[in-house]
Amino acid sequence: MGTVDPDRPRRGASRAAGEKRPPARRKPSSNRPQAVDPASAMSSATEQLTKLLGRLPESVSSLKPTDTGWEAQVEVLELERIPDTTSVLASYRVSLDEQGSLISFERTRRYTRGTIDRPF
């Protein structure tokens, strides 16, 4: 190794005795994809379910975070009838990973539009 030059300042030597170094800032990890926000998760659930079922979802009735991503309940019109209150809808449970990609879906319920949930 080379010799130390006494005229050359050392690293950190320009700071005053009591002055502290600002905390280091961590850069977000670029190799790990970012998790999606709730609005993006809802949008992703409806878009991917539409592609799989070939039907447009009516609404997203629930959305909750899970340990592995998101879980949504999506309402889909399965059979359109006249009058509209007799149309058949289905509720699907959709599981998404942290990036919003569909992992699984399952139809959990079928009902007519005019049906009201009643307590047991």
Side-chain angles (χ1 to χ4, degrees), residues 12-116:
S14 61
R15 298 190 189 281
E19 190 177 342
K20 292 185 178 180
R21 175 175 278 166
R25 293 185 183 169
R26 297 183 101 187
K27 292 181 182 178
S29 176
S30 59
N31 59 353
R32 184 174 165 211
Q34 293 291 323
V36 296
D37 60 286
S40 297
M42 275 180 53
S43 177
S44 182
T46 57
E47 287 172 13
Q48 292 179 72
L49 196 59
T50 298
K51 288 178 185 176
L52 291 169
L53 299 177
R55 298 182 189 104
L56 286 173
E58 294 267 314
S59 65
V60 175
S61 56
S62 74
L63 178 71
K64 63 181 177 181
T66 64
D67 293 338
T68 58
W70 296 93
E71 184 175 285
Q73 283 292 129
V74 181
E75 310 306 315
V76 177
L77 178 64
E78 291 211 332
L79 181 60
E80 192 168 8
R81 291 185 176 162
I82 298 175
D84 192 44
T85 55
T86 62
S87 293
V88 178
L89 291 124
S91 185
Y92 286 85
R93 179 183 308 126
V94 179
S95 297
L96 306 169
D97 65 12
E98 291 179 341
Q99 290 76 41
S101 297
L102 189 130
I103 297 170
S104 67
F105 73 98
E106 171 186 17
R107 185 171 63 197
T108 57
R109 178 175 172 232
R110 285 185 85 188
Y111 58 97
T112 58
R113 189 183 295 274
T115 303
I116 299 172

